[in-house]
Amino acid sequence: MKKLTHIELFAGCGGMNLGLESAGFELYFANEVSPMASETFAYNFLNENLTELSENNTSPVHTLWVCSDYAKDNLKNRLRENPFSGNKKITDLTKEANLGGKLLVGDIDKLLSFLIKNRKYKELQKLNIDLVSGGPPCQSFSLAGKREKNNSKNLLPLSFAKFAGLTKPKVVLLENVKGITAPFNEDNEQYFAWLEVSKAFSLEGFVPLCMMVNSKFFGIPQNRPRFILLAYRKDIFDKLFNNTTDTIKKEVLTLSRAFYERVNNRQLNINDIKVSDFKYYDIEEDPNLFDGQLFPKINKTVETFTSVKDAIGDLSDNNESNAYKILLEDLFDTKISQQLSNFEIRHHNSITQARFRVYQILEKISIDYKKNIINLLRGKEVIINEIDLFNAISSFLFIIPSAKNEKRIERKLKDFEDLKVLMKKLETKKHTQKALIENMPAPAQLTIPDDICHYDFNNPRVLTVREMARIQSFPDWFVFKSKTTTGGDARKFEVPQYTQVGNAVPPLLAYELGNLIKNTLNGLTQ
């Protein structure tokens, strides 16, 4: 069976592409705004080491810049430039450019301008692309607000929809965080970004089917809810509708068709279409729908969820036997043969280690005691019996930082006053830090390394990039390039390794979504 063609927008480091590739999709081209994330994508999929090329004053062949402040022969500066500042008037794209097999680095709107000006979108239409996918920021997007607000990120969903309307793929796949479903206010009006995105694709000729999935149901060791929009080109949707006989699934498709028609019939009054006119289907609330037909098939249940220990236990235990690791290696064909990369362990001072040990202990005690110790960490009073609170933690070894903040000492605490003294030394204003729970999937926030520490009492430290990548379902051969982490104002535009991993679509989730789309399209052509 022939491979299906795929264009990836907002490609990041390549998690979506890796999963879709294994599901049977062949990348036509990808677009990503961040040079740092692009470096990882190019290395793993295009066999181009951009840092090495820059050091040798050599230009890449498969990685082209849509826009830059630097000339093509200045790759070193291109890899470190802020993609959101400067004039960005230099481009590698020409009217004769063949986009096939390329990574296009730069602003999607400038890519759209190039496609329109040179009528390149006509060439893409002739290819009858099977899928365009991506995950643009959508949290405060509304069709009404787009004409009044200057926040460029609010326009990216519209750019995605416009790209789909120009190129006319059979299917669109949009991935986003759960926050897209929360209401937001703009000019005293309430909007739902997921609904506005659904309207935008409907206006471009695609019938939307919306869902809330969670990575843990697909074998990924992470409790990661994500909004997914599948939008079928109208002619493809009609075939899907006519081929569907199951009553419940027909009702789902009927709602999507009615929404599409309502949007296109009421374009001048589109704000009258409210959240009550459409819905998304939640894997937690409607699990029976997730059977591999309209929605991806659940393959893990509460009893069989993959835990973080299943995923990363071998990395600290030096245990070669890891079924999860083998699954990833078998599913995602190895492209790069080398030793384990991105496993640099960060070394913390004794205060940080001591604080991480507290977080590890917190996961071992009941919620009431946990809340009160967190109060102490934040300089607040406890609201529970002090003797009971001390008894709850008296059996654990705490790390006691030395006066010079260097030597690590471990011992049990003597009494409640001893606990208060230690918590005063470790006091922090951070609200997001926690430890992994070894026999459960990881929490969703894996973008900032300091937010999560290892579950192993022998390892009171943040996770390595490789450990985070395992949790996200990246195989060990996948190498993350550019800086490891960053801070300060650079966070506004830099996308270092930790952020690349945290922002990525888990490849295993992309694989399941890719299989669903592939099977749907193949079923319609039989």
Side-chain angles (χ1 to χ4, degrees), residues 25 48 206 230 247 342 348 382 419 438:
F25 285 83
E48 288 192 320
F206 295 85
L230 284 180
T247 303
N342 307 117
H348 308 294
V382 300
L419 173 64
E438 62 184 304

Side-chain angles (χ1 to χ4, degrees), residues 78-97:
R78 279 186 168 188
L79 289 175
R80 294 294 174 265
E81 72 178 312
N82 182 342
F84 308 112
S85 68
N87 296 318
K88 302 288 184 292
K89 292 184 177 180
I90 299 172
T91 181
D92 299 339
L93 303 183
T94 64
K95 187 175 182 180
E96 296 76 26

